[in-house]
Amino acid sequence: MSWALRRRILLAGMIPASLTARAAIAQAWPAQPIRLVVPFAPGGTTDLVARLVAAGLQDRLGVSVIVENRAGAGATVGTDIVARSTPDGYTLVMSNIASHAISPSVYGGRVRYDAVTDFSHIALVITNPTVWVANPRSGIRTLQDAAARAKGPSGLDVATSGAGSSNHLMVVRMGQLIGKELNHIPFRGAGPAMQAVIAGQVPMMSDSLPSAASHIRQGSVTAVAMASAQRHPAFPDVPTFREQGFDLASDSWFGLSAPAGTPAPIVQRIHRETMAFLAVPETRARFSELGGTPGDLTPEGYADFVRREVAAWAPLVQASGATPD
């Protein structure tokens, strides 16, 4: 049992709250600004999606929704902060595949929260594929170019948003397929990693499509391969990994979660307003432009989704040998 869950059980025993009191709190909500924690640095997909969602919820709820970036340790630092917060609906986290599915296995005992039981999961916001991009001056245009560079004397450096991300595991798996370990260069978020690639400090990056999309369109990076089953409709000229002879496919996902014990009426309200925001044609068009697909799960459905992701990724992390270092 995690520390955060034990704390809430102890508090529940010390300060019994009636259903009436909890209902009154939920009815008055929201009465103050809401904090939305992004467990990565600014500039990546998690941050980008969070700011779109924050603006949408702010309009619909009538209170400020403040995005707070708390990066570190594969998205577990900011996520742990939320797990330990008061479950009153005023602190949320942009839960994602790193914080809630992969990093708990990569970081092991260093992670103090349980990705399933320490959260009230609210909504799956968006899913999207992974894309590998390269600095245009790197000479890398195809995955075969990348493989050849990897087998050279200096190997191939590949940046990611951090250890414990799905993009990190893509780097590990690609090295296994090539037969030569790639040099994983973790950053504290996709934004800093992308800037390093654009500056030529790192030749290549494994990234989520939404945070890479604008850079691909601007030509500041070259899209080398898409980790989707088929070519992505937003980028039909970018070949898939499988088309280039590498059997890899990976989707990232991003959602909203709150500390466990958040009153059900508040969870339902946030879910309802999030779904309404995602249904707006302008929102769907923006996500489509970024290469993402809006989610449509209920809170119960999203909780089950997270539970399945945790179970699915744990053996893959173990088999990959991925570590935080």
Side-chain angles (χ1 to χ4, degrees):
M1 183 184 296
S2 69
W3 184 93
L5 183 57
R6 289 199 303 269
R7 178 175 65 88
R8 273 190 282 276
I9 291 174
L10 289 171
L11 287 175
M14 294 168 59
I15 313 172
S18 69
L19 293 177
T20 302
R22 290 173 64 85
I25 292 172
Q27 188 173 11
W29 185 93
Q32 65 188 56
I34 297 168
R35 178 174 62 150
L36 175 54
V37 174
V38 173
F40 286 109
T45 298
T46 316
D47 181 69
L48 175 62
V49 172
R51 292 181 188 279
L52 291 172
V53 171
L57 289 179
Q58 185 167 290
D59 288 343
R60 302 191 67 85
L61 294 172
V63 296
S64 297
V65 180
I66 302 166
V67 174
E68 180 180 316
N69 296 88
R70 300 296 294 267
T76 63
V77 171
T79 304
D80 185 63
I81 289 171
V82 175
R84 295 164 182 271
S85 296
T86 304
D88 55 9
Y90 292 108
T91 303
L92 310 175
V93 65
M94 206 73 207
S95 46
N96 58 84
I97 191 171
S99 63
H100 281 74
I102 299 177
S103 284
S105 292
V106 171
Y107 284 82
R110 298 189 222 177
V111 178
R112 296 184 294 179
Y113 61 83
D114 184 291
V116 176
T117 61
D118 281 341
F119 297 89
S120 295
H121 293 297
I122 299 170
L124 176 64
V125 174
I126 185 175
T127 59
N128 59 264
T130 294
V131 61
W132 278 34
V133 300
N135 181 287
R137 301 179 299 282
S138 68
I140 299 174
R141 296 289 181 273
T142 67
L143 290 178
Q144 286 72 25
D145 294 336
R149 180 77 61 86
K151 294 176 180 178
S154 299
L156 175 63
D157 294 345
V158 183
T160 74
S161 58
S165 64
S166 58
N167 295 314
H168 172 198
L169 290 193
M170 284 285 290
V171 173
V172 173
R173 182 59 182 144
M174 187 65 177
Q176 293 171 339
L177 293 177
I178 291 173
K180 177 67 183 296
E181 183 178 352
L182 304 180
N183 304 324
H184 177 226
I185 312 297
F187 286 78
R188 290 172 66 86
M194 180 62 74
Q195 290 307 312
V197 174
I198 292 172
Q201 298 167 352
V202 184
M204 198 166 200
M205 179 180 179
S206 176
D207 195 13
S208 294
L209 181 55
S211 61
S214 63
H215 301 290
I216 295 171
R217 290 194 174 97
Q218 292 165 7
S220 51
V221 294
T222 299
V224 174
M226 196 78 69
S228 48
Q230 295 87 30
R231 293 199 181 200
H232 198 282
F235 296 91
D237 296 332
V238 181
T240 67
F241 275 76
R242 287 170 176 163
E243 285 181 281
Q244 299 184 63
F246 298 90
D247 189 15
L248 278 177
S250 176
D251 282 336
S252 294
W253 50 265
F254 308 87
L256 283 174
S257 301
T262 300
I266 293 177
V267 169
Q268 291 294 338
R269 175 79 187 280
I270 299 172
H271 175 267
R272 186 167 62 251
E273 301 299 354
T274 301
M275 291 299 104
F277 165 70
L278 293 178
V280 174
E282 290 79 6
T283 303
R284 302 188 75 84
R286 177 59 175 148
F287 278 170
S288 177
E289 178 185 340
L290 294 171
T293 302
D296 60 357
L297 298 178
T298 65
E300 295 77 16
Y302 185 39
D304 287 340
F305 174 85
V306 172
R307 187 177 294 106
R308 291 195 303 271
E309 285 287 284
V310 170
W313 280 101
L316 295 179
V317 171
Q318 183 176 6
S320 74
T323 66
D325 304 317

